[in-house]
Amino acid sequence: MNNPMQVVHFQINLGSSLTFKEGYFEIYAIQEQSTPNTEKISVNTPTFTVTLNSNSDVYYCLILTITQTNEGNYSEQHPIQLLSVFNGASTEVMLNEPLTIANAFCYAQFMQVSQEQTIAITGLSRSIEVAHLMRLNFMDDAGNLSPVISTSPNHLETNSYSMWNSLSNLLYYCLTDASIYQAFLSATSTPDLQATSFLGGLSFLVHHPFNNVDLIYDLVCGEEQVYTPSLPQIQPIGKQTKAVSQWTLTIKVHDSGAKNFLIGGPAFVVFDKNDRAWITNNVTQGTPNSSTFCTVLEPDGSPASFSPLFGGGLLGSGFGVATDLNKETIYFGNYGWGPTQCNPQEGSISVFNCEGKAISPPQGYTNSLHRIQGLNFDSKGNLWMCSWGTQDPLAPSDATYYNFKSHNSSIVVYLGGDPNKVVSYDFDEMASPYNLTFSVTFDKDDNAIVSNAGAYSKDDPSKCQISSIYKLQLKDGVIQPLAQWTAADNPETNGYEIFRQAAVNSKGEIYLAAIKSSRIIKFDKDLNYLKEFKQNIHLPWGILIDRNDTIWVSNFGKETYATNGKEVLGPTGVTIIQETPNGASNHFMTLPSGGHEVLLKNGFPLYGNISGDTSQPLPLPCYSPLMRLTASSIDRCGNLWAANNWKPAATVDIKENPGGDGIVIFIGVAPPTI
């Protein structure tokens, strides 16, 4: 049945006293692979209407080229455009500077700029829908400001709201000052392509956010700020000397769905078939002890109706969460945090369907497991799990009342995902409870790449074990080692590197995060050492390699210290490494403060509330919206979800209150996963 037609009302509303006079627009329904032929429709009033098919499953793109405002005329050779992407059910659509900026970021991975500078948006219908859901975190189709970007944990707790307004100001001044516009086009051009339109320059800025940052910032920082708050209005915090380090917009989320169960130490994110984010949760916020829930977020970062999710044996999940091959079933590894009485005596995994129903029994599936960190499925549907081994707490903890028995670290496989069909491998001659098996991934031949963190104790040699990485094959129901590499010959660490996540690129090359030496180690497919990366690497945990072989490193960050009640900002962020035949580029993506203290979802300060008890120390104010990261994941729109695992000043509260507060989503920075 054909959908009815409806009249859509458009309004052009430019900043301050700038008034639209003349221009033309092109409009089309966004399709998967191509853009339909469009005609240029002239318009000479700030309001106009278009009759369109009313269909909430369709998204439209409208590009308005401005040829005249009350400030003068504009060259069509270097056009300045406004960009609108709106749902087919909308009847009121705004065209303005802020929506143009937000659309360019949220649809960055679906927007193509041709050699002729034509702009086209194409993509899978579900991907376009999810991108629109993220855009609604900034502004709706009618131009209403979203409470997501304009309140905690965004607003002025990060610089993103101010950056969005600053880029809106830049578009405004490109319309009022030709010299600023020409300087913008020059600053955003790349060696391969000259920017000759505003949307072209903006697209280049989004895809090359580290280029000419200061030059672009300086274009309008001294002008009157039409849209506020903006970057020039941010007051530097601590050692932070400037408000912008790169041109990225973010949305931070910290709502689990219940104030009684705040997010505490999110560590890893996976996405199900509905594009929901399933997130491990280490601890009960405000304590160092294991939580008993996970967080599930919708594609826009809002909590799912069944989040926070309890049951199925969840207890202190760590680095381990994975979906089955169909992304219909979600598996969590239960690890445990704090003293042993708060941790699993038996290791376990918890299993849920994608609507939040527990599949595993109340104690989880426990067969052959001993505190699970990373887990992953191979292409045949076998579930590989990293069984940590020792019952010793990972971090310093209060008194332990139960001396649970430790077991050898191992890699455990549930064949076909069946907990009753188990094979395992404990690393033969290196068998020990202190291998501390941490992560597992796979090469193109389905061989498992398994990292062991290793352990060191200055007081007990029996608890020392060198860090190692293995290449394993599952054949005829037996796990066999194909290759291995250890850190035994590193004089700086005496073999104790604290290995974390490993990842494999499209060539089969293997990358490994090493915390103690703050490096990323690169191997060939047989674990022969090739090289290492140390620039902008700060205690790396997570490694993600996208479909273009760009490497995204999640840094846990060096210890930060506090004096006189003020936090000292540390190097927390995501390192982006792109290897080329001529070398590697290296950038450090972070998120500066907007000047306001970081708050939890319940409105309390990150490190706790002032109790009024003068005998207690004042809580430490935090101005680090991006915290100590353990992993990052890319969604179907190219948004990077970074897990704020631990609070920035771990030396202050490592035993009492370590859990980070949520997820920071970098908008449109990476190639989509679908």
Side-chain angles (χ1 to χ4, degrees):
M1 185 175 71
N2 292 331
N3 291 295
M5 305 299 288
Q6 68 178 9
V7 176
V8 181
H9 298 265
F10 294 86
Q11 181 176 348
I12 306 167
N13 187 13
L14 301 174
S16 188
S17 59
L18 192 60
T19 303
F20 173 84
K21 293 293 187 182
E22 290 185 4
Y24 58 86
F25 66 87
E26 300 170 78
I27 187 170
Y28 57 88
I30 298 174
Q31 298 178 4
E32 182 175 333
Q33 294 181 335
S34 62
T35 301
N37 293 327
T38 59
E39 61 176 317
K40 296 178 180 179
I41 303 172
S42 297
V43 59
N44 56 15
T45 63
T47 60
F48 60 96
T49 62
V50 179
T51 301
L52 297 171
N53 193 313
S54 176
N55 185 345
S56 61
D57 294 328
V58 172
Y59 289 85
Y60 289 95
C61 175
L62 186 148
I63 298 175
L64 174 73
T65 300
I66 300 174
T67 58
Q68 185 182 24
T69 68
N70 59 326
E71 289 283 335
N73 299 318
Y74 305 93
S75 167
E76 293 187 48
Q77 291 184 328
H78 301 287
I80 301 178
Q81 312 105 325
L82 301 181
L83 174 63
S84 174
V85 179
F86 60 95
N87 183 264
S90 296
T91 58
E92 303 288 337
V93 176
M94 178 66 70
L95 291 156
N96 62 15
E97 296 97 337
L99 274 169
T100 297
I101 302 301
N103 282 321
F105 277 88
C106 294
Y107 292 92
Q109 297 298 326
F110 310 107
M111 188 164 74
Q112 298 86 37
V113 181
S114 72
Q115 291 287 344
E116 294 76 27
Q117 288 291 303
T118 58
I119 309 295
I121 294 179
T122 59
L124 297 170
S125 59
R126 176 58 176 168
S127 298
I128 298 300
E129 178 185 10
V130 171
H132 191 258
L133 291 172
M134 192 61 71
R135 209 289 314 284
L136 293 177
N137 285 327
F138 294 91
M139 188 170 278
D140 69 15
D141 292 345
N144 298 303
L145 182 65
S146 170
V148 175
I149 189 64
S150 58
T151 61
S152 179
N154 296 289
H155 191 229
L156 293 178
E157 292 179 33
T158 82
N159 78 340
S160 188
Y161 187 24
S162 297
M163 180 177 290
W164 178 37
N165 282 326
S166 287
L167 290 172
S168 299
N169 289 329
L170 178 59
L171 174 49
Y172 170 84
Y173 280 107
C174 284
L175 284 163
T176 62
D177 189 324
S179 64
I180 290 177
Y181 182 38
Q182 288 303 315
F184 171 72
L185 294 181
S186 176
T188 54
S189 294
T190 69
D192 300 323
L193 198 58
Q194 181 73 27
T196 58
S197 70
F198 182 82
L199 284 183
L202 182 59
S203 177
F204 298 159
L205 176 146
V206 173
H207 286 280
H208 304 280
F210 300 94
N211 288 0
N212 295 322
V213 174
D214 292 340
L215 176 60
I216 296 170
Y217 173 79
D218 288 341
L219 289 177
V220 298
C221 69
E223 305 291 337
E224 178 185 355
Q225 301 300 294
V226 175
Y227 291 98
T228 59
S230 62
L231 292 173
Q233 299 169 330
I234 292 178
Q235 297 297 316
I237 302 296
K239 290 185 177 181
Q240 178 182 315
T241 57
K242 61 181 183 179
V244 56
S245 52
Q246 77 276 331
W247 296 108
T248 51
L249 293 186
T250 61
I251 291 294
K252 183 175 177 180
V253 293
H254 66 175
D255 185 3
S256 71
K259 289 183 180 180
N260 284 343
F261 304 101
L262 300 176
I263 293 175
F268 205 95
V269 181
V270 296
F271 301 97
D272 67 16
K273 70 174 186 178
N274 299 312
D275 302 300
R276 292 189 182 112
W278 294 70
I279 306 167
T280 62
N281 195 81
N282 290 172
V283 299
T284 299
Q285 183 60 255
T287 82
N289 302 327
S290 297
S291 76
T292 56
F293 67 88
C294 66
T295 303
V296 187
L297 303 180
E298 296 292 347
D300 63 353
S302 62
S305 61
F306 51 85
S307 180
L309 182 60
F310 294 79
L314 281 171
L315 182 60
S317 56
F319 201 73
V321 59
T323 69
D324 66 356
L325 300 181
N326 296 322
K327 296 190 174 184
E328 294 178 345
T329 308
I330 298 87
Y331 297 72
F332 285 87
N334 296 308
Y335 175 76
W337 303 92
T340 55
Q341 60 265 23
C342 299
N343 299 333
Q345 181 172 357
E346 285 186 294
S348 67
I349 60 169
S350 301
V351 186
F352 302 88
N353 70 17
C354 59
E355 296 303 323
K357 181 179 179 181
I359 297 173
S360 54
Q363 73 274 20
Y365 294 121
T366 61
N367 193 0
S368 302
L369 304 179
H370 309 289
R371 302 181 73 192
I372 299 301
Q373 283 283 9
L375 68 165
N376 214 336
F377 276 90
D378 66 22
S379 66
K380 300 179 182 65
N382 301 308
L383 177 60
W384 295 64
M385 296 161 287
C386 296
S387 191
W388 180 258
T390 179
Q391 285 285 353
D392 293 351
L394 177 62
S397 69
D398 290 329
T400 287
Y401 298 108
Y402 305 118
N403 294 319
F404 296 152
K405 181 181 178 181
S406 294
H407 299 265
N408 282 346
S409 308
S410 62
I411 189 76
V412 180
V413 181
Y414 285 178
L415 300 174
D418 186 344
N420 297 310
K421 299 177 180 178
V422 184
V423 295
S424 63
Y425 176 73
D426 66 359
F427 309 102
D428 292 337
E429 72 278 0
M430 288 186 65
S432 164
Y434 296 97
N435 278 310
L436 309 186
T437 307
F438 187 78
S439 86
V440 57
T441 190
F442 303 95
D443 65 17
K444 61 183 179 181
D445 297 319
D446 236 13
N447 298 309
I449 309 300
V450 178
S451 66
N452 288 323
Y456 174 76
S457 171
K458 65 179 181 179
D459 301 318
D460 188 349
S462 69
K463 293 185 177 182
C464 295
Q465 188 73 353
I466 60 175
S467 304
S468 60
I469 181 170
Y470 280 74
K471 179 178 178 179
L472 304 175
Q473 178 186 57
L474 176 59
K475 186 176 182 180
D476 299 326
V478 178
I479 299 174
Q480 302 171 338
L482 300 179
Q484 73 176 89
W485 187 89
T486 72
D489 58 351
N490 187 342
E492 296 180 5
T493 61
N494 295 317
Y496 175 51
E497 289 263 14
I498 318 181
F499 287 162
R500 286 297 185 245
Q501 191 173 19
V504 183
N505 70 10
S506 64
K507 301 175 184 177
E509 296 165 329
I510 299 164
Y511 298 78
L512 176 64
I515 289 182
K516 198 73 174 178
S517 56
S518 276
R519 62 175 175 162
I520 301 299
I521 308 170
K522 180 180 179 180
F523 306 93
D524 70 11
K525 64 183 180 63
D526 296 314
L527 288 178
N528 295 303
Y529 174 94
L530 295 177
K531 63 187 297 186
E532 62 187 53
F533 303 91
K534 299 198 75 169
Q535 181 183 356
N536 288 327
I537 303 296
H538 307 285
L539 309 188
W541 272 59
I543 301 182
L544 171 67
I545 300 179
D546 68 28
R547 68 187 191 192
N548 293 338
D549 279 346
T550 299
I551 304 161
W552 305 79
V553 180
S554 298
N555 293 281
F556 201 65
K558 295 181 179 178
E559 303 290 349
T560 59
Y561 298 87
T563 57
N564 301 323
K566 291 186 177 180
E567 181 184 22
V568 179
L569 303 181
T572 53
V574 178
T575 309
I576 307 169
I577 303 171
Q578 294 173 304
E579 293 187 272
T580 70
N582 299 321
S585 66
N586 183 299
H587 296 290
F588 192 65
M589 184 171 68
T590 186
L591 179 60
S593 172
H596 283 191
E597 179 183 2
V598 172
L599 301 177
L600 296 170
K601 175 59 182 175
N602 59 9
F604 284 63
L606 181 71
Y607 289 101
N609 194 37
I610 298 173
S611 65
D613 183 352
T614 56
S615 68
Q616 298 297 316
L618 294 178
L620 183 69
C622 176
Y623 298 94
S624 298
L626 189 69
M627 301 179 189
R628 295 158 72 91
L629 305 177
T630 47
S632 300
S633 302
I634 301 170
D635 68 17
R636 68 181 302 139
C637 294
N639 304 311
L640 186 85
W641 296 52
N644 270 358
N645 182 246
W646 268 26
K647 294 180 173 68
T651 51
V652 174
D653 56 11
I654 189 171
K655 288 178 65 175
E656 292 85 16
N657 184 14
D661 68 341
I663 303 291
V664 173
I665 306 170
F666 290 89
I667 306 298
V669 296
T673 54
I674 298 177

